[in-house]
Amino acid sequence: MATSTGEGAAAAPKAWTARFKELPLPLRVLFVTSFVNRAGMFVFPLLAVYLVRSKGLGTAEAGLLISVGSTGLLVGSLLSGPVCDLRGRRDALVAALVLNAVGYLGLGTLDGAPWTYALLLFVALVGMGMFGPAANTLIADLATPEQRPFSYTVSYIGNNLGMGIGPLLGGVAAAYSYHVMFAGNIVVGLLCAVVIRIWVPRDTKSGTAAPKAAGGGRLRLGGVHGHVLWMVLASFFYVAPLIGLEYALPLAVTTELNASAGLVGVVYTVNSVVVVGLGLQLEKRIASYPIRTLLLVAGVLWALGLAVLDFGFSLAAVLASTVVWTLGEIIASVVVPTYIADHVDEHRVGRFMALNGFVLGLARLVVPFGLGLIWQNHGARPVLHTMLITPLVGIAVFAVLRIRSSAASAPAASAPASAPTSAPSSASASASASVEAGPGPADAVRSGA
């Protein structure tokens, strides 16, 4: 496939539909089912409303139960890697959907003590936490290095579209009956599980690529995969602002601006429009730039968007900032899983994708609590200041991390013109050997190599 770097740069770029058709069939099935499953997630966005209105819980009690149950996201993310390794990517995806359905079935039908709702939500969210890392691992298995940025972009766009549609459909279902809301979520999830079980092969590992480096199965801060581990951990500074906005923006809009909560829905709509309208355009240009540059640009976009929100807080600033920070969100969401797929041994990709999901789950637990304490003690403005500082810290960290060039973006000129093109393992090794210079943790990583 021609990319924007290398000898095929002069060729006209292919339409995204043509590129989509070139992907392996199991990946196309995965993308469609992921979108449908996300669109069918009726319950989670309306869970607090359900617990208060249908189960008679207080708002504080419902919030506590949701927080406790949300630890399932962390557990599911960590379980995804071992399940992918032991049972295969397909079984991990199916198990994730079944667990989600079982948990929601209990929530929708059983009456019990409040702690039982937390337990059932925990089960449902273990499934939700497993699905994303397993899907990213399947993409790493089946997509070529040149196809990975496009594949992760399509996956990201589909998930965002689904999350935009799901609450709307869920609201319509809940207005009719909470039982219909739960039934719709469960049926959609189980149908997706059946489709994946039929169309995705059990063993999706290529079996042809040589290991990128020798080493044990543990995730270590140093060693041959240390640079990947540092990157995934550092991505927290780009995930935290997103979770912070989910928590703080509705409160700030309704209390500080005295505006309707409907504006929050407009923000999500703007976010989805930017993702769909510009996601594929950004992906076409990703291969043209070094990984470090992309991560720094993502941080700058995050910081600019939050600066607009912080220093010019108004209705117009809320909408304008959403356009800017969404661009940073898109870049980081594509670059990080692509980097994992390009640089981690095949038998450890699942663990690193699970760690990437764990970072997101950790942010969902830590950030609302931390920002809530700041808001309670100091007010709304320090919360906005804190969210602005977070991507600035991320920029500083990514500026000094040891970062290697991805296989798909390695300059073609680095290989002899006469080199054969049918040796994926050697090409990958060559790309992995190309390192973008940077001080800091590089020395610690290099000492373990």
Side-chain angles (χ1 to χ4, degrees), residues 212-449:
K212 298 180 179 70
R218 293 178 298 173
L219 305 181
R220 296 177 297 172
L221 293 179
V224 293
H225 290 139
H227 63 105
V228 184
L229 183 57
W230 279 108
M231 172 181 283
V232 174
L233 295 177
S235 69
F236 175 86
F237 295 107
Y238 291 172
V239 172
L242 181 64
I243 306 305
L245 287 169
E246 290 180 357
Y247 165 79
L249 195 57
L251 292 175
V253 166
T254 54
T255 60
E256 298 297 309
L257 296 179
N258 294 317
S260 169
L263 180 63
V264 179
V266 175
V267 169
Y268 281 98
T269 300
V270 171
N271 176 260
S272 297
V273 169
V274 174
V275 168
V276 175
L278 298 179
L280 291 173
Q281 297 301 318
L282 286 176
E283 181 274 327
K284 291 179 181 178
R285 291 162 175 78
I286 282 178
S288 303
Y289 297 96
I291 302 300
R292 187 191 308 282
T293 301
L294 292 169
L295 290 169
L296 294 179
V297 168
V300 169
L301 289 168
W302 260 115
L304 286 176
L306 292 173
V308 170
L309 190 63
D310 190 2
F311 296 111
F313 191 59
S314 65
L315 297 180
V318 168
L319 298 179
S321 70
T322 302
V323 175
V324 179
W325 62 253
T326 298
L327 298 176
E329 179 194 1
I330 294 171
I331 295 173
S333 297
V334 173
V335 169
V336 174
T338 301
Y339 191 84
I340 295 172
D342 285 347
H343 293 288
V344 175
D345 293 350
E346 187 180 70
H347 63 284
R348 273 180 283 186
V349 169
R351 292 191 178 107
F352 277 87
M353 292 298 183
L355 179 64
N356 192 37
F358 178 83
V359 169
L360 174 60
L362 181 64
R364 289 193 179 279
L365 290 183
V366 173
V367 172
F369 176 73
L371 293 183
L373 288 179
I374 295 174
W375 193 308
Q376 180 177 334
N377 294 312
H378 304 288
R381 301 301 297 187
V383 169
L384 297 177
H385 297 336
T386 302
M387 289 196 297
L388 173 58
I389 292 171
T390 305
L392 295 176
V393 174
I395 292 172
V397 171
F398 282 119
V400 300
L401 280 182
R402 182 190 187 214
I403 297 177
R404 296 181 177 182
S405 299
S406 288
S409 60
S414 63
S418 59
T421 58
S422 59
S425 60
S426 61
S428 177
S430 174
S432 295
S434 176
V435 180
E436 297 177 31
D443 293 335
V445 174
R446 194 176 295 111
S447 65

Side-chain angles (χ1 to χ4, degrees), residues 112-144:
W115 67 265
T116 60
Y117 304 141
L119 178 61
L120 291 167
L121 178 61
F122 175 85
V123 173
L125 296 189
V126 166
M128 186 184 293
M130 285 179 60
F131 189 89
N136 283 341
T137 305
L138 184 67
I139 295 171
D141 285 349
L142 298 180
T144 66

Side-chain angles (χ1 to χ4, degrees), residues 28-104:
R28 286 179 275 156
V29 170
L30 173 69
F31 295 149
V32 172
T33 53
S34 294
F35 165 73
V36 172
N37 182 53
R38 284 286 185 180
M41 285 187 175
F42 304 155
V43 173
F44 190 68
L46 299 169
L47 190 57
V49 177
Y50 169 74
L51 291 175
V52 171
R53 294 187 176 180
S54 181
K55 297 300 182 180
L57 303 181
T59 54
E61 190 176 16
L64 176 62
L65 293 180
I66 291 174
S67 295
V68 172
S70 293
T71 57
L73 292 170
L74 296 176
V75 174
S77 296
L78 293 179
L79 281 177
S80 182
V83 174
C84 281
D85 292 340
L86 294 174
R87 299 292 303 176
R89 285 52 161 152
R90 183 191 69 184
D91 287 356
L93 291 167
V94 171
L97 294 169
V98 171
L99 279 173
N100 189 257
V102 168
Y104 282 155

